[in-house]
Amino acid sequence: MAKQNVAEQFVDILVRAGVERLYGVVGDSLNPVVDAVRRNSAIDWVHVRHEETAAFAAGAEAQITGKLTACAGSCGPGNLHLINGLYDAHRSMAPVLALASQIPSSEIGLGYFQETHPDRLFQECSHYSELISSPKQMPRLLQTAIQHAVGRSGVSVVSLPGDIAAEPAPEKAAETALVTSRPTVRPGDAEIDELVRLIDAADKVTLFCGSGTAGAHAEVMQFAEKIKSPIGHALRGKEWIQYDNKFDVGMSGLLGYGAAYEATHECDLLILLGTDFPYNAFLPDDVKIAQVDVRPEHLGRRSKLDLAVWGDVRETLRCLIPRVREKKNRRFLDKMLKKHADALEGVVKAYTRKVEKHVPIHPEYVASVLDELADEDTVFTVDTGMCNVWAARYITPNGRRRVIGSFSHGSMANALPMAIGAQFTDRDRQVVSMSGDGGFSMLMGDFLTLVQYDLPVKVVLFNNSSLGMVELEMLVAGLPSHGTTNKNPDFAAVARACGAHGVRVEKPKDLPGALKSAFKHKGPALVDIVTDPNALSIPPKISAEMVTGFALSASKIVLDGGVGRMAQMARSNLRNVPRL
């Protein structure tokens, strides 16, 4: 039996850690690793057209599966292209192992061709970033990197010179045990006791939920029922907490709707559950606040806390539910539910009248039809910008659908690459990329990756020929828009030229048929929809302090359009609410 080299041993360890794909662009310093992948049937090399796509795809796969994923870039410029997608994965707490191959080890530090120092460059977007300088070092270093990525939910980067990758692996390398899943974390008794005291002492409690409530839907509902609490959520909490939720009062923040803002400001105690919601201008400063989070570094960094609780949301609620006193008075909850329904009724009408005849097409109408026609378990990947708005307002969660995007890092061009990673996890599951024309055109080359692998991703392109969110930022700041207009091709024709299904939609009456035909198509498809660039209206509850942050949206004009089926959901929750 031939002796293993370091690259083969590296790939074997990835396989043992559960990695099924390595996304990247091959290059000379990566050749030994790619060849090792070629000869290992348990792992595939996914050849993308840009390394940024590789990192986004790996991050999306990790978010869908919860498992370790991997990407790779060749030395210098190759692995530098990974950095934006790795930032996103790290901030999304996706366990990703990135291989940054390096120049020949004997040339490091001498200004060699394509020399960079990835072990330094990636430190800010990773929990662990180290250089392998010896074959004997590799197994333990890679194990440590894997355990950082899995155990701390984020990125690890391993730099590996190509010459070392090709060297013989050490004899009898130990097969060390690998950590591939995380434990649950229970808060301490003192924190539970104090949180019970705060809850029992408060007449009006509001829960505000983020992505940390994943897997805790039943516990959150049971807890809200016992303490008669309205439930608001951040964008990353929407998919986990809004469905089957009779306590829902909507979303806060610049994309917010409904009564979430009022519920968080009019309570006696606000409990932040698994959220690192960054826009502190939307959080109250005159009510008591308790925060529960599994990552202690998140506690108190957005608002002044009266109690910080380090623990999983589900484990914390399991401790609380038997101990807190049941509240009998529903007055605050019912008031917030009625405000929520009234707020949604007020805004939905503007975008539900005559939209079927409006040209250019209302993007709200597109999102609403998409929500109705998409499968019950669709994965939606969402471009940063106005597509965030349409997803937040119109995509209806149900516990089976997923909605992922660059919600913490805020990168353009994320939707198509994320769709690639999501589709590789299950070719039979519907994956829809909600792309803006600006984001899509930035990494448009990787539409060819869909064709190359015959991935049945459906790209729904909101084409308003502009950078719509940037125009909004300029408008709010009192500046004339400049440099925001895109001169676009017929993207459907481009898709067809690439070998995919492509259709262009300019009239609302043609939209349902175009989406249905794309969804029926077995391979990749693109629906290029010409949308109205002026689809903006007036928001509730925006103050001068909210000028900074996502979209610089302040006191005049932002993002309060229709809200799709959420109005129906709010009305259904009012069945048992008495007239106030």
Side-chain angles (χ1 to χ4, degrees), residues 12 43 55 74 110 154 202 217 241 262 266 315 334 341 353 367 397 424 463 489 515 547:
D12 280 352
I43 188 170
S74 58
L110 299 174
H217 184 275
I241 215 68
E262 289 87 347
E266 295 180 23
E315 292 302 313
D334 291 341
R353 289 198 304 261
F424 265 114
N463 182 2
L515 289 175
V547 171

Side-chain angles (χ1 to χ4, degrees), residues 192-203:
I192 292 293
D193 291 344
E194 180 60 15
L195 188 50
V196 169
R197 189 192 67 78
L198 287 174
I199 294 167
D200 286 348
D203 292 327

Side-chain angles (χ1 to χ4, degrees), residues 213-228:
T213 56
H217 184 275
E219 287 80 6
V220 174
M221 297 306 125
Q222 187 179 357
F223 186 53
E225 176 68 55
K226 191 165 187 181
I227 65 172
K228 307 301 182 287

Side-chain angles (χ1 to χ4, degrees), residues 11-12 14-16 18-21 36-44:
V11 170
D12 280 352
L14 290 185
V15 170
R16 287 178 49 225
V19 174
E20 298 180 25
R21 278 164 288 277
V37 171
R38 178 183 65 83
R39 290 180 284 108
N40 191 319
S41 61
I43 188 170
D44 293 321

Side-chain angles (χ1 to χ4, degrees), residues 5-11 14 28-34 36 73-76 79 97-105 108 118-119 130-139 141-142 157-167:
N5 64 21
V6 170
E8 291 169 323
Q9 191 179 68
F10 187 100
V11 170
L14 290 185
D28 56 356
S29 57
L30 261 181
N31 288 347
V33 174
V34 176
S74 58
C75 62
N79 63 57
L97 188 287
L99 170 59
S101 68
Q102 179 57 299
I103 64 171
S105 57
I108 295 174
D119 51 314
E130 292 291 346
L131 171 70
I132 295 173
S133 55
S134 163
K136 293 181 180 179
Q137 181 190 14
M138 194 282 291
L141 192 146
L142 181 55
V157 181
V158 173
S159 303
L160 177 62
D163 61 313
I164 292 179
E167 287 187 18

